[in-house]
Amino acid sequence: MGRSRHGLLWLIIGLALVTLAIAIGVQVHQAQNRYQTKIYTGTSADNVNTSKPISLLLLGTDTGADGRITKGNSDTIMVVTINPKTKKTVITSIPRDTLAEMVGTKTTNVQKLNAAYNIGGSTMAKASVSKLLNIPIDYYATLNMGGLKQIVDAVGGVTITSPMKVSYDHITITKGRHHLNGKQALTYTRMRYQDPRGDYGRQLRQQQVMKAVLAKLANTKTLARYNQLLSSLSNNLRTDLSFNDLVALATKDHENTKHIVSHQLIETPAWINTSSYQIASTAKLQTTSNAIRSQLGLKAEKISNIETKLNALNSSYDGTTNLNYDTNGLDTITYTE
């Protein structure tokens, strides 16, 4: 049960820190060259339209720490929507163990949502989240666990107020206000089982550290650490937002980062073939979809996918007294452990 997890909006952090430096005119050519060759994975010449709402899938992978070097799973999953008209950024966290269809496999199957990145990279992760919530995903960004530690150290650490005592990986952070270095921040955002809120509590701590880093990035003193920041991102961040996209977002949509709202997709536990999962009810999926689509300026649509069909077939499952959930009700599904 000791799987590692970490804070994620290090992806937005990564985007913000590079664009912050660019917007102020710091080493533009060097930054652009390193970014386009080391971080950018896209191929399209189209620039982001900063006059319209956009969506970004943020993935935190379980590599880069504890000796992990494989592609890994995306153990942190967040959908970020930016609306220049409302000047609001909304972050929606999705549990890693959410039962979901792996969109793009040769045979239709359902697994934990965090497996999508391992199976088909960012392309499958985007497609799977998009279908789960019936929302468009415009861009993605991924960061591995090792990147979190490096980025926090690069900005000189972050100050947070812990709501509880956190002990994990031989590090203890007591309840109260603390200034954390990179290793401590990684510990603070990875611990899950001591938190009575479970994975949801971990998500809140991730968002807490994320906002603290963003605050640091908004401080011009951070630019003194520019090369260290860019180096940490080059080794750990991948995104299909181009350098010019980030400059546009930083210069035209920077007001959005002052109005950040966080939400969570709340689910219920289930057992499927002796493995634990999280199930998103059809009602919760619909509510989350409606909220994200509204933020993107889109009309609400009724969700109809494999998840909603399985929910209908599991009428006796309630997530409290009955945790048994059957994925074999649809003939087209091949369940993969």
Side-chain angles (χ1 to χ4, degrees), residues 11-276:
L11 310 171
I12 276 243
I13 287 172
L15 309 181
L17 86 83
V18 173
T19 52
L20 177 64
I22 301 311
I24 302 177
V26 178
Q27 300 174 320
V28 177
H29 179 72
Q30 175 188 340
Q32 184 173 23
N33 180 66
R34 183 180 293 185
Y35 183 92
Q36 290 296 115
T37 57
K38 299 290 187 178
I39 297 175
Y40 180 61
T41 63
T43 57
S44 174
D46 295 337
N47 293 325
V48 63
N49 188 339
T50 57
S51 66
K52 295 182 178 180
I54 66 168
S55 59
L56 174 68
L57 179 65
L58 304 181
L59 304 170
T61 61
D62 59 355
T63 54
D66 295 339
R68 291 192 177 95
I69 58 175
T70 58
K71 181 188 291 184
N73 297 323
S74 55
D75 276 358
T76 303
I77 305 168
M78 296 181 181
V79 175
V80 176
T81 53
I82 303 172
N83 189 319
K85 295 181 179 179
T86 62
K87 298 188 183 302
K88 182 188 295 184
T89 296
V90 178
I91 304 167
T92 303
S93 297
I94 307 173
R96 62 184 289 280
D97 291 342
T98 300
L99 180 72
E101 178 186 1
M102 302 292 100
V103 178
T105 55
K106 293 181 179 179
T107 58
T108 303
N109 69 81
V110 291
Q111 297 190 44
K112 294 179 180 179
L113 184 58
N114 70 336
Y117 179 76
N118 195 312
I119 297 171
S122 57
T123 298
M124 183 175 290
K126 286 171 68 174
S128 298
V129 172
S130 177
K131 191 164 186 180
L132 175 71
L133 298 175
N134 189 30
I135 58 171
I137 301 290
D138 299 315
Y139 303 98
Y140 86 93
T142 67
L143 192 79
N144 67 44
M145 285 182 60
L148 169 62
K149 177 179 179 296
Q150 293 178 33
I151 290 172
V152 171
D153 283 336
V155 300
V158 295
T159 300
I160 57 92
T161 299
S162 177
M164 61 180 292
K165 178 181 177 181
V166 174
S167 292
Y168 185 75
D169 199 21
H170 307 295
I171 291 178
T172 297
I173 299 166
T174 58
K175 180 179 179 180
R177 186 176 175 86
H178 300 277
H179 187 76
L180 307 181
N181 61 27
K183 187 175 183 179
Q184 292 169 325
L186 181 61
T187 294
Y188 184 69
T189 57
R190 283 168 62 191
M191 188 278 290
R192 177 173 65 153
Y193 296 105
Q194 297 172 19
D195 196 319
R197 301 163 298 181
D199 193 48
Y200 298 105
R202 180 179 64 89
Q203 291 173 16
L204 292 174
R205 280 180 276 112
Q206 291 170 356
Q207 294 172 0
Q208 182 185 20
V209 174
M210 167 185 68
K211 291 177 181 178
V213 174
L214 287 174
K216 274 302 214 40
L217 290 172
N219 189 331
T220 56
K221 293 181 180 179
T222 303
L223 292 178
R225 299 170 177 266
Y226 174 71
N227 284 326
Q228 185 181 352
L229 287 166
L230 186 58
S231 177
S232 67
L233 289 177
S234 297
N235 296 327
N236 299 290
L237 175 68
R238 296 294 179 269
T239 179
D240 55 0
L241 278 167
S242 72
F243 184 85
N244 290 335
D245 290 337
L246 296 182
V247 172
L249 289 173
T251 56
K252 297 181 181 179
D253 285 349
H254 65 279
E255 287 295 319
N256 295 320
T257 59
K258 297 180 180 179
H259 304 87
I260 301 177
V261 179
S262 300
H263 297 295
Q264 295 173 299
L265 177 58
I266 304 298
E267 304 176 356
T268 51
W271 286 99
I272 303 173
N273 292 358
T274 70
S275 294
S276 62

